Amino acid sequence: MQVFTDIGGLIIDMDGVLWHGDQALPGLEAFFATLRELQLPFVLATNNASITAEQYVGKLSAMRVEIGRREILTSGMATALYLSERYPASHTRVYAIGGAGLRQPLRDKGFVLLEEHDPGPADLVVSGLDKTLNWDKLCNAALHIQAGAGFYGSNGDVTLPSERGFLPGNGATLAALTAATGVMPITIGKPAPIIYQQALALLGQAPERVIAIGDRLDTDILGAVRTGIRSVLVLSGISREEDIPRLDYAPTWVMRDIRELTEALRR
């Protein structure tokens, strides 16, 4: 296996890489202990916008791994930052489908969030993974989009790995709204390079000195390729090694899981 060289930081996916649902994957504690021992900075960058950075810190703490809030970047946080750079937040009304992981970053940036009973009009519809998704939310979002609201998705993942198997992701919600409105959303998370570029800024590193780790070829790896950074595909989540020859892009390395990655980092 090729030896890692000139690493200034890591951008690490979470679902399918560190855990399945609430079940930590083998080698989790040793992996983070190695990162701390090597003084290797990292950003945990996830397309999952269902929970907040603070909740991710708590989830990892329950798995006996301590990290700081500044080491987390969710697609909800990335979406709020992206939109705040393009819209006057205090004058922009947002209808958001999603949990606290999407809604709180939007509030933190000063956006006005419409409630379910508020008829609008909305300037933007923003959708993230929503585990309480229902018919009324889909109807409200569709009506706002049909009335001219801008349509954004925190990410386009159609599935979400869990201890039960692969569940519908935010991409499934976006597909339903696109079918109902004929409007395609702008997505902020991987494979768009936006979230990776924001993570690079947090690390303070040039793209050539950073490695992305992920379990999905169509999001984690493609996003890394589009951003110009090296990547590791771990086979503990969605994608399989036999999927690679069918694509016109590829990860720099393929590894079984974070245990193999830990061994490689220690060489």
Side-chain angles (χ1 to χ4, degrees), residues 57-142:
V57 170
K59 181 170 184 172
L60 279 157
S61 180
M63 296 177 181
R64 301 174 63 179
V65 172
E66 301 301 325
I67 64 164
R69 185 190 182 283
R70 292 181 178 273
E71 294 171 316
I72 297 281
L73 178 62
T74 71
S75 66
M77 297 163 66
T79 298
L81 176 58
Y82 178 87
L83 293 175
S84 72
E85 294 171 342
R86 288 158 178 80
Y87 295 92
S90 62
H91 300 289
T92 302
R93 293 158 62 88
V94 179
Y95 183 77
I97 290 179
L102 178 68
R103 300 175 71 84
Q104 190 58 52
L106 288 168
R107 286 195 187 96
D108 290 345
K109 290 297 182 182
F111 287 100
V112 179
L113 267 61
L114 299 182
E115 300 302 326
E116 295 300 320
H117 60 273
D118 193 328
D123 301 299
L124 305 175
V125 169
V126 183
S127 177
L129 181 65
D130 189 336
K131 295 182 180 179
T132 63
L133 182 66
N134 58 32
W135 174 251
D136 287 339
K137 291 181 181 181
L138 286 172
C139 290
N140 289 337

